[in-house]
Amino acid sequence: MLGVIYLIISGMIGYEITKILLESRESRMEENRIWLILPASFGVGTLILTWAVYIISWFASVKGRSDTPLFWGNLCTLTTSAIILTVLLIRKKKGKKATDKTPVVTDRKYFIKEMIFFGILFFFLTYIMFYVFYEKDGILYSGVTVYGDYAPHTAMMRSFSRGNNFPTQYPHYGAADVKYHFMFQFLAGNLEYLGMRMDIAYNLISIFSLLGFLMLLYQLSKRITGKMCCGVLTCFFFFFRSGMAFFRFVWEHIQAGDLWNVLKENSSFIGYTANEDWGLFNFNVYLNQRHLAFGMLLVTLALWVFMDWLDAGISHEEKGWAWFGKRLFSKEAWLSRNLERSLMVGLMLGLSAFWNGAAVIGGLLILCGFAVFSDGKLDYLIMAGITVFLSFLQTKIFIRGSAMSPRLYFGFLAEDKSMWGVICYLFWMSGIFFLGLIVPAVFMKRKGRTLLFAFLMPAISAFILLMTPDINVNHKYIMISYAFLAIIWAWAICRLWDGKIFRRILAVILIINLTATGLYDFAVILKENGPGRRVPVDMNSDLTVWLEDHLGKNDLLLTPEYSMNEVTMSGVMLYCGWPYYAWSAGYDTNYRADRAVEAYTASEPETLKNVISQEKITYILFEEGMEFEQHKCREDVIAETYKRVYISQDGRIRIYKTGVNEF
């Protein structure tokens, strides 16, 4: 109940802020702007309220030494928010504050159609989110295609709901900083603390985030193209990616004569480019990286706001180089148009950095493309400056050292790093989606080409910059471009459909080409996360309860390289969990893995004591028959050196307390 109240209050706070952010003439004239207000209110309100809870909780824990910091964070934030909302309501009733009389529904015919469309999306998203992640009879189930990503996310959630993770650490690499954006997981953990079951909390905010993003994407598409069908088709393309994998797969198995059996039996993603079979480019990304949708929601809201600036720049009558020159060098091109709104967008994007940093970077790249052709470039600079400043401030607070070390890296995952190699890679990875955009570009006017250029910016950066140790992470920038470029393809196909029969046939062929691989990927998602393909975790484990009760925020637990199990569900800090999670976030996992091997294979007590003391490990977990990095582990020296404080009911797991000073 408290979790529901939290979300309602956040939405109400967001609504008050959104009214200011969307006060432009263009927003007021938009048909049925309820589909703007609802997602914007959720996104902005959740962003502001959750940061307030986190900051107060941080001070309660770090400065106030409270063992229940979330209690104080929620109490102060919700109470203050309730007072503010009450004052605003009283002022409105007394007529001291003018109210917005612009109707939120202006076309009832379209409103009914849109309500049905978004209703279908809501039920679909609810079904698929709970299909891959749900709890039943005390067992948490995670689908095969998503559980790997859920391991660090659920550990982070539990570090807040069951632990006291202030100052915040990364649970799979404890006693260090936190290099990975974590605020979405903090929100889920806080909702669990407020009484929601973990799967309900995580799924609910994931559904609202993705549905909200799709509402804004639909509205953006409709604003650009003027057609509802383009908005619907844009969302369809969002779910089902383009690619050549399915067509090549079918052709190979037609030749082998086993196509029908393979289509029925195959349960793995298909792909012929590097790591495409991981599901890097299909809808599975939004199932395992739930926080990406929340970041995209806020980015799309920022694009909507700055479309006013872009429309003003494009509307000038000059042509060719004369128009472009004025967009760069005229006074009108640089003067501020609406300083207040640019400040608000900068604040919103800046506060989003630790919700999803990739979305913020992708959004800034698109806005950079907008700025080239817009009036009011000063507003863009102010917005970007605030975003970068707030992002930098957060990295200095949460991260020791550099957050990122970007460097030039041409080619992304293409095996052949030449220009021709990249073109071939794009064809096999995305089919006609990127390369084929040159065709609609020929027929588009100035605005369409400008948007095409801007929406391509994140994808271009994915092929020229490496920002993290793992180049695969750049796939998010391609996904960001893909979501917005779907508007261009939706426009092109709707234009074809308005023509004669042969143009309609071409439109159908294009739709099949652009979605066949994604449709097959979705079938794989259903297969790979269905019955018998889910990873279970006992949520009522005695081990989980013992760890919650006996380990504090300053304890560090040495374990095998666990992914997601009863240990990670306790919210404790692991010395070295599953290494890929921490490595891809920028941690030195090789060092800790080597030290863990020393501890688990030590033949002398002094060797063990030195490692444990230097690394400030307070507890050691030993699992029967365990290995660490393919090294056979031994328990005799550990048992000789330290006191055993826990043994599981089946005797499989023992825990020893080292007695070293907590970190």
Side-chain angles (χ1 to χ4, degrees), residues 351-411:
L351 291 176
S352 303
F354 268 75
W355 290 77
N356 192 284
V360 173
I361 294 171
L364 286 177
L365 288 168
I366 295 174
L367 287 167
C368 178
F370 276 24
V372 174
F373 305 101
S374 290
D375 284 349
K377 288 181 174 58
L378 180 61
D379 292 330
Y380 283 94
L381 287 175
I382 292 171
M383 175 274 300
I386 293 172
T387 301
V388 172
F389 171 75
L390 289 175
S391 301
F392 177 78
L393 180 63
Q394 290 166 68
T395 59
K396 287 301 179 184
I397 293 172
F398 295 122
I399 299 176
R400 301 170 194 167
S402 175
M404 292 189 301
S405 52
R407 61 184 177 89
L408 293 175
Y409 185 93
F410 183 77

Side-chain angles (χ1 to χ4, degrees), residues 162 541-552 555 557 559 562 565-572 574 619 621 646 653 655:
R162 299 295 177 88
S541 165
D542 175 70
L543 174 59
T544 303
V545 173
W546 189 91
L547 289 169
E548 290 174 8
D549 292 342
H550 291 82
L551 273 67
D555 283 307
L557 177 64
T559 66
Y562 285 144
N565 64 5
E566 298 97 321
V567 174
T568 64
M569 284 295 167
S570 66
V572 300
L574 308 186
Y619 288 86
L621 184 148
Y646 173 83
I653 291 176
I655 297 178

Side-chain angles (χ1 to χ4, degrees), residues 274-508:
N275 302 335
E276 186 181 354
D277 56 355
W278 291 5
L280 284 180
F281 306 105
N282 64 44
F283 179 59
N284 194 65
V285 171
Y286 290 94
L287 294 178
N288 58 27
Q289 295 282 311
R290 306 285 187 91
H291 49 307
L292 177 58
F294 185 84
M296 293 282 279
L297 185 160
L298 295 172
V299 164
T300 311
L301 180 58
L303 297 184
W304 177 275
V305 172
F306 272 95
M307 279 291 293
D308 294 352
W309 281 254
L310 184 63
D311 288 339
I314 290 171
S315 64
H316 292 277
E317 296 180 355
E318 299 90 359
K319 297 182 179 180
W321 289 106
W323 170 78
F324 184 68
K326 285 196 172 183
R327 299 289 62 71
L328 294 179
F329 304 113
S330 69
K331 182 178 180 181
E332 187 177 16
W334 286 90
L335 283 177
S336 172
R337 290 175 55 85
N338 193 317
L339 181 60
E340 181 183 20
R341 294 174 74 206
S342 64
L343 289 170
M344 291 179 68
V345 172
L347 178 65
M348 178 181 72
L349 290 180
L351 291 176
S352 303
F354 268 75
W355 290 77
N356 192 284
V360 173
I361 294 171
L364 286 177
L365 288 168
I366 295 174
L367 287 167
C368 178
F370 276 24
V372 174
F373 305 101
S374 290
D375 284 349
K377 288 181 174 58
L378 180 61
D379 292 330
Y380 283 94
L381 287 175
I382 292 171
M383 175 274 300
I386 293 172
T387 301
V388 172
F389 171 75
L390 289 175
S391 301
F392 177 78
L393 180 63
Q394 290 166 68
T395 59
K396 287 301 179 184
I397 293 172
F398 295 122
I399 299 176
R400 301 170 194 167
S402 175
M404 292 189 301
S405 52
R407 61 184 177 89
L408 293 175
Y409 185 93
F410 183 77
F412 184 46
L413 290 172
E415 294 182 7
D416 179 359
K417 304 297 183 184
S418 67
M419 181 61 70
W420 177 249
V422 169
I423 291 173
C424 291
Y425 171 81
L426 274 172
F427 173 73
W428 289 112
M429 183 270 287
S430 66
I432 65 170
F433 188 86
F434 286 104
L435 298 176
L437 286 169
I438 192 171
V439 177
V442 173
F443 299 97
M444 288 189 297
K445 296 181 180 179
R446 178 187 290 171
K447 183 175 182 178
R449 292 173 183 171
T450 300
L451 290 168
L452 174 58
F453 167 76
F455 292 157
L456 273 171
M457 292 293 284
I460 292 171
S461 74
F463 281 87
I464 61 176
L465 287 175
L466 175 63
M467 298 187 185
T468 66
D470 185 7
I471 186 62
N472 291 288
V473 174
N474 276 19
H475 79 105
K476 295 176 185 176
Y477 302 111
I478 294 174
M479 295 290 288
I480 291 169
S481 281
Y482 190 101
F484 294 108
L485 288 169
I487 297 172
I488 307 297
W489 279 112
W491 169 83
I493 289 171
C494 288
R495 287 288 302 272
L496 285 172
W497 191 260
D498 290 338
K500 295 182 179 179
I501 185 65
F502 75 92
R503 294 181 66 178
R504 291 193 173 194
I505 292 172
L506 179 57
V508 172

